[in-house]
Amino acid sequence: MEDGLEPDSALDRLSERIEGVERGQGRHEEKLDGFREALHGVETDVVRLGSEVSNVRQEIAGLESAVTNTRQTLDTFIEQYGRDREVSKAQAALSRLTTEWHANFAQRKQTRALARGLVHTLTAQAIYRKVVNTATVRACSEERLLLEPTYWLAPAAMAVAAKFRNEEEQGERARAHACALDAAKANLFFSLTCSRLGDETEAAAWMDLYLQSLDPDELGQDFLVVLDAIAGKELGEKALGYTQQAMARWNQGGSPLSTGAYTSPGTRGGTHLESRLLNLRNRLAQNRYAALRKTCGDQWEVLQGAWELSTVPDQTLTHLEHMFPDGFDGVDGAHTPVGNGGHLESALERLIDQLEPDEADMRERMRRLERIIDHGGDLVAADRANESSVSPAPAPVALMTLLDQAIFEPDEVRLGQPARRMALRAIWPDLEEAAQRLVTTSRDRLPRHITLSVAGWDCSVPTDPRLMVQPGQLVNELATHIERQTQDRSDAVMRRWPRVIAALVIGTFTLALVVPFVDGAARWLFALLTIGLFTGAGWEFGSVPFRRRRVRDQGDRLRHEAVATMNKALHQCEDLLEDWHDAVEQLDLLTRWGESHKRD
């Protein structure tokens, strides 16, 4: 009985435990349901929080955009403020400079207008016809001098007015005052004015003073216009003569203002002219005189240099005839036609309208301020516009550069044909001397004899046409030399007995002592060697006539080639020397082309 009750109690306990587990599982399920509800609430909160974060992000992005826009607006405002400040500064500076301009330089406009009116030919006619009272002219000129005592044009205009009134003493003092302020401009003004008023003698005297005040190493662009007027005889014959003398003196380094005053006449500008003439010389083509180039060896460089130097006179004459088709002195010789006064008018207007250095500096500063205002304070754009609108002032030019460009680079300097012809007359002695030096160098470089080498045979050919040898004689000597050499080589071809004996001994030894005692491939190998040795000995014994014939054939070909090369080289040498002598003789034509300059 007891054994039957124990399983029942165990089952009861097990059932109780199962029921406990079921109750615990129910409680756990209730907790899980609570967790699920809590998780659902968390998910809802997370979704809500994500939505809020997205809204925050959008607000932040909007804030960043607003900050960026604010920053751009602020930067634009700062930049515009800076530009407005630059504009304000420029306007203030421009206003101040404008006030200074009117205070210091406004009177010069009236002074220039008065000077322009006084030098006009119609003004002179009006005064001489008493249409204008000379007292009025005097009052106007004196007023200009009182208002502009430091401006050279004011006393210069007063000197012209005094000339109309025949007041020599007052005119002299006014001219001295103007020359004290600016000697070069005053002298040029009086020269051009006297020429326009018809007094060529006084114009020449003032032109002489003007030329003496110039530095030939720093000639301004005004001199080019004056040179055109002088070359066209618009200032008269005397002014032309004075200018030619001054240019000749400058060219020789005789100006006290020139930095090359102590340079010898023969070297001043001579090196540069030689370089110019060397650029004109002909160049030998690579395929020209090929046989002579091949046979004369190292002498070719010397011959080429001498030949190219000899072409300088002809090429120089060709260039000058192209630049001056009417000849050295033109179609009318020394009687150059007088110009129509256009260059004189241009030179006088240019001189009167020319700004003084302080005036030009202030005008440039005002122009830059105007550019800043026009570009709204943008300094970079203003500087760029200012640089593009203002052309740089032409640099002063030295006399030798001016003369050189007038003849060899006419596009680089704006001069008329009479002025360029005048430059040619000034530079001609140096140019002729440079051509003569180059021709002398060519003569010195040309060797007295040219050594030609063909097939190991050398011959000397004199370059003097009076000592030229006949090509046939040299060709025959070359042919005889090669024939003798070929005969000697042919006679030297003989049987080489040591080689024959050695081949026979080795072949006999191999045939007698080696071939009988070897088998297989070795026997065939030594047999073939033996046959080759006996064949070589037989060929050496009987090939002498064939070898001598081959030597003679090679000698004949060498003789024909050498004779043809020598014949061609001799003719090319003759042609080169003939071209050289003809080119050297062109120096006389170049000299005769400028003989009229020497006669003058």
Side-chain angles (χ1 to χ4, degrees):
M1 284 296 286
E2 291 179 359
D3 293 334
L5 293 173
E6 289 179 358
D8 293 335
S9 62
L11 288 173
D12 293 336
R13 289 193 300 272
L14 182 59
S15 299
E16 291 175 358
R17 290 180 179 176
I18 291 172
E19 291 176 355
V21 170
E22 289 178 352
R23 288 193 300 271
Q25 185 177 0
R27 290 193 300 272
H28 286 306
E29 287 180 354
E30 292 176 356
K31 291 181 180 180
L32 289 175
D33 291 337
F35 287 151
R36 288 191 185 96
E37 292 177 357
L39 288 175
H40 182 70
V42 170
E43 288 179 357
T44 304
D45 293 338
V46 168
V47 172
R48 186 174 64 256
L49 182 60
S51 177
E52 293 178 355
V53 169
S54 298
N55 295 331
V56 171
R57 287 178 179 175
Q58 292 178 357
E59 292 178 358
I60 292 175
L63 181 60
E64 289 179 351
S65 177
V67 170
T68 302
N69 294 335
T70 304
R71 181 180 300 170
Q72 292 178 353
T73 303
L74 181 60
D75 292 341
T76 303
F77 173 78
I78 294 174
E79 182 180 0
Q80 186 63 40
Y81 175 77
R83 291 185 178 183
D84 293 341
R85 185 175 61 178
E86 293 295 336
V87 171
S88 299
K89 290 168 58 177
Q91 290 174 344
L94 181 60
S95 178
R96 177 177 54 81
L97 289 180
T98 303
T99 302
E100 293 181 7
W101 173 272
H102 287 290
N104 299 330
F105 307 121
Q107 298 297 330
R108 293 184 181 180
K109 183 177 181 181
Q110 286 77 17
T111 303
R112 292 188 177 101
L114 176 63
R116 192 179 296 108
L118 286 176
V119 300
H120 204 284
T121 55
L122 294 179
T123 302
Q125 295 176 8
I127 293 176
Y128 294 146
R129 294 175 182 176
K130 297 183 179 181
V131 177
V132 177
N133 191 352
T134 56
T136 303
V137 176
R138 178 178 181 178
C140 292
S141 60
E142 289 180 352
E143 180 185 5
R144 291 293 99 201
L145 181 59
L146 291 175
L147 294 174
E148 290 285 349
T150 61
Y151 183 32
W152 68 270
L153 190 58
M158 185 175 178
V160 176
K163 185 177 181 64
F164 288 142
R165 293 175 55 84
N166 295 323
E167 296 175 347
E168 293 296 333
E169 184 176 357
Q170 186 183 20
E172 186 65 28
R173 289 196 296 267
R175 285 190 290 268
H177 187 188
C179 292
L181 294 175
D182 196 324
K185 292 181 180 178
N187 292 331
L188 179 58
F189 176 80
F190 293 137
S191 177
L192 298 177
T193 301
C194 292
S195 176
R196 172 177 276 189
L197 298 178
D199 192 348
E200 294 185 353
T201 301
E202 189 173 355
W206 283 109
M207 179 56 63
D208 188 27
L209 294 176
Y210 166 71
L211 296 173
Q212 293 178 16
S213 65
L214 295 179
D215 184 355
D217 291 327
E218 292 186 359
L219 298 175
Q221 296 299 314
D222 294 336
F223 180 76
L224 302 182
V225 184
V226 175
L227 189 61
D228 273 326
I230 296 173
K233 296 183 180 180
E234 297 180 9
L235 278 77
E237 292 283 351
K238 289 185 178 181
L240 176 60
Y242 287 152
T243 306
Q244 290 174 342
Q245 294 175 8
M247 293 178 67
R249 185 173 63 253
W250 293 344
N251 193 25
Q252 295 173 359
S255 172
L257 298 177
S258 174
T259 56
Y262 301 101
T263 306
S264 59
T267 60
R268 182 174 173 85
T271 304
H272 185 71
L273 281 178
E274 287 186 6
S275 300
R276 280 291 190 186
L277 298 185
L278 285 175
N279 292 333
L280 294 176
R281 72 184 187 273
N282 274 339
R283 300 284 187 174
L284 271 177
Q286 291 293 331
N287 57 352
R288 191 174 181 185
Y289 303 121
L292 179 61
R293 185 195 302 261
K294 180 180 179 182
T295 56
C296 69
D298 296 338
Q299 279 188 310
W300 173 251
E301 297 293 335
V302 179
L303 289 175
Q304 181 180 7
W307 185 90
E308 291 180 352
L309 285 178
S310 68
T311 62
V312 166
D314 179 62
Q315 294 302 309
T316 303
L317 182 58
T318 301
H319 174 78
L320 293 177
E321 289 178 342
H322 174 71
M323 297 301 299
F324 305 96
D326 297 334
F328 191 93
D329 289 315
V331 292
D332 296 327
H335 303 288
T336 304
V338 179
N340 57 5
H343 294 106
L344 189 149
E345 179 76 21
S346 176
L348 192 55
E349 288 291 332
R350 183 186 182 97
L351 179 62
I352 293 175
D353 293 334
Q354 185 176 8
L355 299 179
E356 295 300 293
D358 54 351
E359 192 177 1
D361 179 67
M362 184 173 290
R363 177 66 64 85
E364 177 62 26
R365 290 158 58 191
M366 293 173 64
R367 185 182 293 110
R368 184 178 183 278
L369 294 174
E370 291 173 354
R371 293 287 185 273
I372 294 176
I373 297 173
D374 293 340
H375 287 81
D378 190 345
L379 299 181
V380 177
D383 291 338
R384 190 183 303 113
N386 193 48
E387 291 176 359
S388 61
S389 62
V390 179
S391 58
V397 61
L399 175 69
M400 287 306 303
T401 303
L402 173 63
L403 299 180
D404 173 79
Q405 291 179 345
I407 297 172
F408 297 101
E409 295 180 356
D411 295 336
E412 297 296 328
V413 56
R414 295 181 179 180
L415 286 176
Q417 188 73 358
R420 291 196 295 112
R421 201 181 305 277
M422 188 175 177
L424 175 63
R425 293 174 68 89
I427 207 175
W428 177 257
D430 289 339
L431 190 148
E432 184 179 9
E433 183 179 353
Q436 290 175 351
R437 284 198 300 269
L438 293 177
V439 171
T440 301
T441 304
S442 176
R443 288 195 177 100
D444 294 340
R445 287 188 181 182
L446 187 69
R448 300 182 62 181
H449 294 83
I450 301 175
T451 301
L452 302 180
S453 179
V454 178
W457 182 79
D458 299 337
C459 66
S460 182
V461 179
T463 57
D464 191 344
R466 297 171 297 181
L467 303 177
M468 288 293 293
V469 297
Q470 296 296 329
Q473 179 182 353
L474 296 178
V475 170
N476 293 333
E477 292 179 4
L478 174 62
T480 302
H481 169 75
I482 296 178
E483 289 176 356
R484 187 183 302 111
Q485 188 180 44
T486 302
Q487 185 62 39
D488 294 340
R489 292 175 57 193
S490 177
D491 295 340
V493 177
M494 301 180 64
R495 295 182 180 89
R496 290 166 287 193
W497 290 107
R499 183 178 296 184
V500 175
I501 294 173
L504 292 176
V505 171
I506 295 174
T508 302
F509 175 81
T510 305
L511 182 64
L513 300 179
V514 178
V515 174
F517 299 100
V518 295
D519 296 327
R523 173 178 292 183
W524 289 103
L525 178 63
F526 282 104
L528 291 175
L529 177 62
T530 302
I531 294 173
L533 291 173
F534 283 122
T535 302
W539 170 255
E540 183 66 28
F541 186 80
S543 64
V544 173
F546 298 100
R547 287 161 53 196
R548 289 181 176 178
R549 177 63 179 273
R550 184 173 61 184
V551 169
R552 287 193 295 271
D553 291 342
Q554 292 177 351
D556 291 340
R557 288 195 299 271
L558 177 62
R559 176 170 55 82
H560 288 299
E561 293 175 359
V563 166
T565 302
M566 177 59 74
N567 193 25
K568 186 180 296 184
L570 289 173
H571 283 88
Q572 290 183 0
C573 181
E574 184 178 356
D575 293 340
L576 182 140
L577 293 176
E578 184 177 355
D579 291 343
W580 182 87
H581 286 290
D582 292 342
V584 168
E585 291 176 357
Q586 295 297 316
L587 180 62
D588 295 334
L589 295 179
L590 178 64
T591 303
R592 288 198 298 270
W593 189 78
E595 280 184 352
S596 58
H597 172 71
K598 297 181 179 180
R599 289 196 300 267
D600 293 341

